[in-house]
Amino acid sequence: MELNETKLHELLGKIVTEMGAAANGPLVTIGDKLGLYKSLSESDALSSSELADKTNTSERYAREWLAAQAASGYVEYDATNNNFYMTPEQTAVFGNNKSPVFMTGDFYAVSSVYHDEPKVEEGFKTGKGISWGDHHPSFRYFKK
């Protein structure tokens, strides 16, 4: 059987995109837990040093977190001033826990899929499902 190079590259592109999304999920929950999104959304724009100071976090990790979030389109980067900011849409999704489209809780819920993997594997073997109450606690985590 011969490989279709075009189809192979399309498939690999999808996989790399999904792997990036999976790897960014924990960064979203960390940004929520540490108040990185909230602090950034409440400011006009911040450098990584300023965000680190506001959130009592390491500047290096704040800088790398900001770069990853900008690469995903979750925050914006202003190269001229070397700072980061959030649009109203990004704030609604990540920075305002009163917003009807606030999504960070969904990232906690998705993380339960990884925690629950052994239970799902057992379900494949036995045919028994997982009751809602048996999921990892992160499945039920949503900010109020």
Side-chain angles (χ1 to χ4, degrees), residues 26 34 41 52-53 62 65 72 113 128 135:
L34 297 178
S41 71
D53 288 345
W65 179 85
S72 292
V113 173
K128 295 180 182 176
H135 283 282

Side-chain angles (χ1 to χ4, degrees), residues 48-49 51-53 57-68:
S48 58
S49 295
L51 180 62
D53 288 345
T57 57
S58 160
E59 188 278 331
R60 176 182 172 211
Y61 283 92
R63 178 174 12 105
E64 292 183 15
W65 179 85
L66 284 163

Side-chain angles (χ1 to χ4, degrees), residues 7-50:
K7 289 182 179 181
L8 177 62
H9 287 284
E10 288 173 5
L11 176 59
L12 291 173
K14 288 178 186 179
I15 290 169
V16 169
T17 297
E18 290 187 10
M19 288 174 59
N24 197 35
L27 295 178
V28 171
T29 58
I30 288 167
D32 180 55
K33 288 177 186 176
L34 297 178
L36 301 173
Y37 289 118
K38 184 171 174 38
S39 293
L40 187 59
S41 71
E42 292 174 346
S43 303
D44 288 334
L46 295 173
S47 68
S48 58
S49 295
E50 292 167 329

Side-chain angles (χ1 to χ4, degrees), residues 71-136:
S72 292
Y74 295 172
V75 305
E76 301 298 318
Y77 177 62
D78 176 1
T80 302
N81 296 309
N82 194 30
N83 59 27
F84 298 83
Y85 64 95
M86 293 176 73
T87 65
E89 297 77 20
Q90 292 162 335
T91 296
V93 172
F94 296 107
N96 177 0
N97 66 0
K98 303 273 191 255
S99 165
V101 294
F102 187 63
M103 295 294 292
T104 62
D106 295 296
F107 283 88
Y108 291 94
V110 168
S111 76
S112 76
V113 173
Y114 293 95
H115 293 291
D116 292 338
E117 186 267 339
K119 295 174 187 174
V120 174
E121 179 183 353
E122 187 63 23
F124 270 79
K125 293 176 182 176
T126 65
K128 295 180 182 176
I130 302 172
S131 72
W132 288 107
D134 289 339
H135 283 282
H136 187 271

